[in-house]
Amino acid sequence: MSTVIKGGTIVTADLTYKSDVKIEGGIIVEIGPDLTGDSILDASGCFVMPGGIDPHVHLEMPFMGTYSADDFESGTRAGLAGGTTMVVDFCLPDPGQSLLEALARWDNKASRANADYAFHMAITGWDQRIFEEMETVVNERGITSFKHFMAYKGALMVNDDEMFASFQRCAELGALPLVHAENGDVVAQMQAKLMAEGNTGPEAHAYSRPPEVEGEATNRAIMIADMAGVPLYVVHVSSEQAHEAIRRARQKGMRVYGEPLIQHLTLDESEYFDPDWDHAARRVMSPPFRNKAHQDSLWAGLQSGSLSVVATDHCAFTTEQKRFGIGDFTKIPNGTGGLEDRLPMLWTHGVMTGRLTMNEFVAVTSTNIAKILNLYPKKGAVLLGADADLVVWDPKLTKTISAANQQSAIDYNVFEGKQVTGLPRFTLTRGYVAIEESTVKTREGHGQFVPRAPYPAVNRALSTWKELVTPRKVERSGIPASGV
Ligand code: DUC
Ligand code: ZN
Ligand code: ZN
Ligand code: ZN
């Protein structure tokens, strides 16, 4: 059985050209004019692009005393409805739990996915067993990226010594460290002070995590990565301070990648001052939304290439869950949705406004992260032999975003009421048409785990950007006697 996507214009990170695409056995087998096949998908007036890859989601995540409400089934369904064909979730071991035991739990949860997925492994402590298990995680499980939380003191946070040890291990294994860069010690103090002063509402969340805590941690993580001789990926870059640190590192020749979120690009801090407690609490995430100047900085970063990827940090909680934090903003579960809306919002606010070209849109939603995570060209490409994870994008389709017609399991949407132009006519996951305009035909369990190869030690181009210093001992003829 073959399928031909007919009459569309292919848009990749590099090229825009008219061509048909033929799919068989879940992969792209032919690209060219006038192709024939067993079934035809009409792409006239549409752009045929690599499906979106969201490298930052938390599905059914145990966090802040509860679980995020979208699981791998509803989360990947939401993704497909919005043109996203692959997600990368964070495997989060419980305190003291073996990485491999945690992975077994994640394998089980993810078996319900409607689209392909990979994992990052979180490092939330440090000991000999973790050091040893990291090798198995990389070489036997194909998980080649490790996440470090510099915030969430007393829970997920790692200290600098743990982070440095893990970064060095990543360098040895050809793996990529990721950081959530906020200074968790400073945040904890700010939270305590705000609460003591009676600032208990969701607006205090933003005051407790100013741009400086993000800028400081980003700089620190970059310097520690440089010491370890490893590249670095900074998740949810929300401020000019963090972006500035990344720009400077890249300008010096370091492989540091920055990932802004669609939420930070399009929503601002005024949301936290809404008189409706629920409205504000539903938008509590870390880092918090910022002001217009920070947003402009993030857009500029995407345009100039100093920021590489647009993600969502999809971590959805219901209104009921958000209300755990009534009277104490530090207990509001952190996180918002976004999986279904990332591509339409970025197209509307990026491509339609002229801030991004269509090719840049494909780069930052799919191809760049496929390259960074060593998934390319299986994912993120319209090439012969690539997986047929494709979106047939209709630039004329419009809708008003609303919780009333979303796939996500939660009861609201942070983009509620926003009009978007540009939506999938079809979304294909390994050749299977999971979305046909507004008809959802997803298949639970269709999604497969995608293992990744480490970055080879013989070619340290990605693993090391500089020679590490080997300590040189000085032979001395005489050493003074100790003591007096
Ligand atoms: N930030 C969030 O808002 N939610 C999940 C984890 C995170 O770092
Ligand atoms: Zn984070
Ligand atoms: Zn509201
Ligand atoms: Zn996250």
Side-chain angles (χ1 to χ4, degrees):
M1 270 294 288
S2 61
T3 305
V4 171
I5 301 175
K6 215 163 178 56
T9 299
I10 296 177
V11 179
T12 69
D14 316 299
L15 299 170
T16 305
Y17 61 105
K18 277 193 95 68
S19 185
D20 297 345
V21 179
K22 185 169 179 172
I23 299 158
E24 216 168 320
I27 62 169
I28 297 172
V29 293
E30 220 178 324
I31 299 170
D34 306 321
L35 300 182
T36 54
D38 300 318
S39 68
I40 302 292
L41 298 176
D42 175 19
S44 50
C46 289
F47 301 114
V48 181
M49 307 187 289
I53 300 170
D54 192 335
H56 189 161
V57 304
H58 302 279
L59 302 174
E60 209 181 329
M61 180 211 202
F63 189 49
M64 295 184 75
T66 185
Y67 282 84
S68 59
D70 276 317
D71 58 17
F72 279 82
E73 194 287 311
S74 64
T76 53
R77 174 157 43 82
L80 288 166
T84 288
T85 52
M86 180 171 179
V87 298
V88 191
D89 195 89
F90 293 82
C91 176
L92 212 62
D94 291 335
Q97 191 185 30
S98 135
L99 306 185
L100 302 173
E101 264 171 47
L103 257 182
R105 269 172 53 214
W106 252 256
D107 287 337
N108 185 42
K109 290 195 281 190
S111 64
R112 298 182 54 217
N114 296 292
D116 287 1
Y117 57 92
F119 299 137
H120 309 288
M121 174 59 74
I123 297 297
T124 56
W126 192 252
D127 58 25
Q128 184 61 24
R129 181 174 68 178
I130 293 173
F131 174 89
E132 284 164 16
E133 285 187 335
M134 280 174 79
E135 184 167 12
T136 313
V137 168
V138 170
N139 292 328
E140 287 169 36
R141 288 301 319 265
I143 295 166
T144 56
S145 42
F146 292 89
K147 168 81 172 284
H148 306 77
F149 291 90
M150 300 170 79
Y152 302 119
K153 188 176 163 78
L156 303 170
M157 182 169 128
V158 282
N159 296 321
D160 292 351
D161 55 348
E162 298 167 316
M163 199 163 74
F164 184 42
S166 176
F167 281 17
Q168 290 175 88
R169 187 63 168 148
C170 286
E172 277 170 19
L173 296 170
L176 176 69
L178 277 54
V179 281
H180 169 134
E182 288 184 301
N183 184 318
D185 288 315
V186 173
V187 170
Q189 269 206 23
M190 302 271 288
Q191 288 177 326
K193 184 162 183 286
L194 284 155
M195 281 298 293
E197 290 166 353
N199 286 306
T200 61
E203 65 281 8
H205 173 75
Y207 288 120
S208 72
R209 313 178 94 97
E212 289 76 12
V213 304
E214 190 186 354
E216 185 281 327
T218 306
N219 274 290
R220 180 158 38 103
I222 288 170
M223 294 300 160
I224 291 174
D226 195 20
M227 291 266 298
V230 74
L232 183 69
Y233 183 96
V234 185
V235 304
H236 50 46
V237 175
S238 72
S239 64
E240 160 56 16
Q241 282 85 338
H243 178 200
E244 194 260 337
I246 294 165
R247 270 198 319 268
R248 183 159 21 85
R250 289 171 67 91
Q251 193 262 328
K252 286 173 183 290
M254 302 179 191
R255 289 184 195 273
V256 177
Y257 306 102
E259 169 209 87
L261 307 180
I262 191 62
Q263 296 93 318
H264 290 115
L265 288 162
T266 57
L267 299 172
D268 68 41
E269 63 189 0
S270 64
E271 303 280 354
Y272 299 120
F273 296 91
D274 194 283
D276 175 10
W277 189 95
D278 283 335
H279 180 105
R282 286 162 171 167
R283 285 147 180 88
V284 163
M285 67 180 301
S286 294
F289 301 156
R290 308 291 192 193
N291 66 26
K292 184 80 174 49
H294 293 290
Q295 287 186 338
D296 287 345
S297 166
L298 302 181
W299 282 108
L302 292 174
Q303 288 161 355
S304 64
S306 52
L307 298 174
S308 309
V309 173
V310 176
T312 63
D313 197 2
H314 186 102
C315 187
F317 295 101
T318 63
T319 303
E320 200 186 330
Q321 290 175 305
K322 290 284 186 179
R323 287 181 182 170
F324 296 165
I326 294 175
D328 181 351
F329 73 91
T330 67
K331 298 201 164 52
I332 302 171
N334 285 200
T336 67
L339 253 170
E340 186 168 347
D341 310 310
R342 179 179 63 133
L343 266 57
M345 282 293 286
L346 191 70
W347 185 271
T348 303
H349 294 272
V351 178
M352 306 257 308
T353 57
R355 284 193 271 214
L356 298 177
T357 67
M358 293 195 293
N359 308 95
E360 286 165 345
F361 173 87
V362 172
V364 300
T365 56
S366 183
T367 306
N368 287 354
I369 193 64
K371 291 178 179 172
I372 292 167
L373 294 182
N374 227 0
L375 291 161
Y376 189 85
K378 178 179 169 65
K379 304 291 187 189
V382 183
L383 287 173
L384 293 187
D387 283 358
D389 277 11
L390 297 166
V391 60
V392 178
W393 191 258
D394 189 335
K396 293 207 181 66
L397 283 177
T398 69
K399 75 168 183 186
T400 304
I401 295 178
S402 172
N405 53 25
Q406 71 184 2
Q407 300 300 318
S408 166
I410 63 171
D411 57 321
Y412 62 92
N413 185 312
V414 294
F415 301 116
E416 183 76 33
K418 296 220 183 289
Q419 181 83 21
V420 286
T421 302
L423 287 161
R425 183 184 290 178
F426 304 106
T427 310
L428 289 79
T429 156
R430 276 181 288 106
Y432 174 70
V433 183
I435 302 294
E436 193 167 344
E437 287 215 11
S438 47
T439 310
V440 177
K441 303 191 285 184
T442 50
R443 282 198 301 219
E444 185 173 328
H446 167 85
Q448 292 178 354
F449 175 74
V450 184
R452 296 175 281 141
Y455 307 99
V458 282
N459 170 12
R460 303 304 291 250
L462 199 63
S463 306
T464 313
W465 61 73
K466 65 172 195 182
E467 290 284 313
L468 293 180
V469 175
T470 309
R472 183 173 62 87
K473 266 195 208 146
V474 178
E475 296 303 329
R476 295 194 167 83
S477 51
I479 298 174
S482 61
V484 276

